[in-house]
Amino acid sequence: MTLLNDPRTRHRRLGVAAVAAGLLAALLTAGPAAATPDPGDGPAAREKVSRSDAAELKAAMASGEIPGQDEIVHSDNVQHLTNIPKDALPGINSDLAFQGKYAFAGNYDGFRILDISNPKAPKTVSQVLCPGSQNDISVSGNLLFLSTDSSRSDNSCNSTTQPATEKSSWEGMKVFDISDKANPKYVAAVETACGSHTHSLVPERKNVYIYVSSYSPSATFPDCQPPHDGISVIKVPRHAPEKAAVVNFPVLFPGEGPDGGGNPGSPTNPGVSKTTGCHDITVLPSKDLAAGACMGDGVLFSIKDPEHPKVLDQVEDNVNFAFWHSATFNQKADKVVFTDELGGGGAATCNAAIGPNRGADGIYDIVGKGDRRKLVFRSYYKIPRHQADTENCVAHNGSLIPVKGKDLMVQAWYQGGVSVWDFTDSVHPKEIAYFERGPLSTDTLQVGGSWSAYYYNGYIYSNDIAKGFDVLKLSDRRTDPAKRVRLGELNVQTQPDYFD
């Protein structure tokens, strides 16, 4: 592990911070962190668009229909407070977690800790070089957890890329001690089947349980064999994290044959991902519930026994959903918002050709009681602004904005920006605020934009794949009551009871 302390913050609206020659050499030695194909959350791709499409985009920019290249636009109730560009870690920015006055920002090359006590001027506290996509990140007490979903030569932060066909290759969870935010210490690693694309915490007083989501098995991968129809459950003792270990692998989609159960995908369901595990799971510990976005399926779980999650209901949408990506409960736990990552996060899907129902959110009501609860579809939500054909745009990570009696959410849409929307009426969701940048390019499709946009203690924080860390202030009578809700810790995939 290489610790990169640099308290200086470079305030630049655009661009990537220069990397010192020594660090660059270290990164090249470590090797690139390539993601498991989702489709979803893959490394940046560049794809030329046709001359006619490029000309059409430039005309739309000239007319003001689409923001200019890298131009920042937003609704009147949103203020862009600051942008902190990438610094020592040049890889793809990924997820965010929060604790006290700190934000923890994942990056395919490691993670960054920022002091956000002054949201207008966040300061970098430390940066850790530890390559391994996606470096999905969460925190609990003095522990930080990092997902590795690229095949590595070993479990160290000095590992290099190595084919998953080799038995000695490693993927899984890493655990750090962050009692000293300026000097995180790597303390444990746990290998998991098919790696860890994302993870979700179920924290208890003595232990932290981790639900590890992974997928895409292959008969050629010694440590990722089909069928792979479950999740790894890791138990981490808080006072002895070095004893972290897998304690269960519950099969969520039992079925006959080598492919197991779950959505069979194409050709049975054309354009739909075959279910070979879960992409993301959101837990609601206060209600003993979890919602799983599992490639071709949306799932509702009971987690009364955290080591043995139980499937309550399983739904599919083989018309408009291509890849079930993530889930968010409302506060009353009578709704779930599932996202569809059409095109794997690397395609332009927020345009007239794709339409309003694909690459969108699906809003489901939870009806019934106890183990008989069911998911019932109500409507779709998609940002109402068309994006350029050079902009990757699709529903991605978001969080609740805690206002009693209302279901409000802020959400990242890659180059579609950040959207704040109201789904109190499950059938008629509506946007109430937005922030976005114009396309990274006018002639090439480049992957960028907001990976995660979360509300934490009065502000919206966004981790932009290419541009860095953004802080937004939302001023609206509909959302202002949320400013009174203060949290000591937030991992969005471990939803808090905001009003308890």
Side-chain angles (χ1 to χ4, degrees):
M1 180 185 76
T2 301
L3 184 64
L4 307 162
N5 288 314
D6 184 357
R8 296 170 296 174
T9 302
R10 297 175 177 86
H11 295 279
R12 296 194 299 179
R13 179 176 173 183
L14 303 173
V16 178
V19 181
L23 172 60
L24 180 58
L27 287 171
L28 292 173
T29 301
T36 295
D38 253 4
D41 307 338
R46 295 171 181 256
E47 179 182 333
K48 292 286 289 185
V49 298
S50 68
R51 289 184 179 181
S52 60
D53 284 344
E56 185 178 332
L57 168 57
K58 290 174 183 177
M61 288 178 170
S63 68
E65 181 182 347
I66 290 177
Q69 186 172 354
D70 286 327
E71 178 187 2
I72 292 176
V73 296
H74 52 79
S75 54
D76 291 341
N77 52 1
V78 170
Q79 180 183 359
H80 185 211
L81 295 183
T82 192
N83 169 261
I84 308 299
K86 293 181 188 179
D87 191 356
L89 303 174
I92 292 173
N93 279 336
S94 58
D95 211 1
L96 293 169
F98 304 89
Q99 185 182 84
K101 66 177 185 178
Y102 299 103
F104 304 82
N107 178 287
Y108 274 40
D109 287 318
F111 65 91
R112 185 180 194 179
I113 301 178
L114 298 110
D115 182 335
I116 56 172
S117 53
N118 179 1
K120 293 182 180 179
K123 297 179 180 179
T124 297
V125 177
S126 58
Q127 299 180 77
V128 173
L129 173 63
C130 195
S133 68
Q134 301 186 130
N135 279 337
D136 190 55
I137 194 167
S138 60
V139 294
S140 183
N142 288 329
L143 299 178
L144 180 147
F145 305 93
L146 211 59
S147 286
T148 299
D149 193 38
S150 56
S151 186
R152 312 297 297 179
S153 56
D154 55 50
N155 63 12
S156 76
C157 286
N158 296 317
S159 67
T160 58
T161 57
Q162 183 168 290
T165 52
E166 295 188 23
K167 176 62 179 174
S168 62
S169 295
W170 184 92
E171 299 180 63
M173 290 298 307
K174 295 169 182 169
V175 184
F176 292 78
D177 184 322
I178 53 167
S179 51
D180 181 355
K181 303 296 186 293
N183 293 284
K185 296 180 180 179
Y186 184 14
V187 295
V190 180
E191 186 171 13
T192 54
C194 300
S196 175
H197 197 69
T198 68
H199 68 270
S200 309
L201 304 185
V202 185
E204 296 186 341
R205 187 171 63 86
K206 292 184 178 180
N207 304 299
V208 179
Y209 287 96
I210 308 174
Y211 291 164
V212 176
S213 295
S214 56
Y215 47 91
S216 295
S218 170
T220 65
F221 298 163
D223 299 320
C224 184
Q225 292 282 302
H228 180 76
D229 283 341
I231 59 173
S232 297
V233 181
I234 296 175
K235 181 179 180 180
V236 185
R238 289 190 183 275
H239 297 296
E242 68 279 2
K243 296 181 180 180
V246 174
V247 293
N248 194 19
F249 186 87
V251 175
L252 308 178
F253 309 103
E256 300 295 331
D259 295 330
N263 197 318
S266 298
T268 303
N269 297 315
V272 178
S273 291
K274 176 183 176 181
T275 298
T276 60
C278 291
H279 180 279
D280 213 334
I281 294 173
T282 292
V283 300
L284 189 59
S286 64
K287 301 292 193 297
D288 290 329
L289 286 175
C294 302
M295 303 182 73
D297 296 86
V299 185
L300 184 68
F301 304 92
S302 167
I303 56 169
K304 288 182 179 179
D305 179 351
E307 288 191 23
H308 301 88
K310 176 183 178 182
V311 174
L312 300 180
D313 194 25
Q314 179 180 343
V315 293
E316 296 177 357
D317 180 347
N318 295 318
V319 175
N320 287 315
F321 262 47
F323 187 87
W324 296 65
H325 177 276
S326 53
T328 303
F329 287 99
N330 69 336
Q331 184 58 43
K332 290 183 179 179
D334 58 9
K335 299 176 188 177
V336 181
V337 173
F338 289 102
T339 69
D340 171 33
E341 196 181 44
L342 175 69
T349 70
C350 297
N351 51 31
I354 298 297
N357 296 336
R358 300 177 64 215
D361 296 314
I363 304 168
Y364 286 74
D365 285 353
I366 301 174
V367 301
K369 295 182 179 180
D371 288 353
R372 296 184 177 181
R373 283 172 284 192
K374 300 291 183 182
L375 294 164
V376 178
F377 173 77
R378 295 304 186 200
S379 68
Y380 298 106
Y381 170 77
K382 193 171 184 179
I383 56 173
R385 297 169 309 286
H386 287 160
Q387 304 296 306
D389 288 340
T390 60
E391 292 183 285
N392 61 306
C393 175
V394 74
H396 213 235
N397 294 354
S399 75
L400 290 184
I401 298 177
V403 175
K404 282 188 176 181
K406 297 289 184 180
D407 296 326
L408 306 173
M409 186 172 174
V410 59
Q411 186 176 6
W413 288 78
Y414 287 121
Q415 285 194 72
V418 175
S419 177
V420 179
W421 58 290
D422 185 335
F423 63 103
T424 306
D425 181 344
S426 301
V427 180
H428 300 101
K430 59 183 179 181
E431 184 175 77
I432 61 176
Y434 72 91
F435 167 89
E436 68 168 294
R437 289 181 170 90
L440 289 169
S441 171
T442 59
D443 56 10
T444 304
L445 196 160
Q446 299 181 17
V447 173
S450 179
W451 178 291
S452 299
Y454 299 145
Y455 187 92
Y456 177 69
N457 291 354
Y459 296 88
I460 293 170
Y461 298 92
S462 167
N463 212 21
D464 188 289
I465 289 171
K467 300 298 185 184
F469 184 76
D470 288 302
V471 185
L472 310 177
K473 183 178 181 181
L474 177 63
S475 299
D476 190 291
R477 58 178 178 78
R478 293 164 290 190
T479 60
D480 284 347
K483 295 177 181 178
R484 297 192 290 268
V485 178
R486 312 298 291 184
L487 300 177
E489 191 171 271
L490 177 64
N491 301 293
V492 169
Q493 285 71 40
T494 305
Q495 283 193 220
D497 186 337
Y498 289 97
F499 304 112
D500 184 4

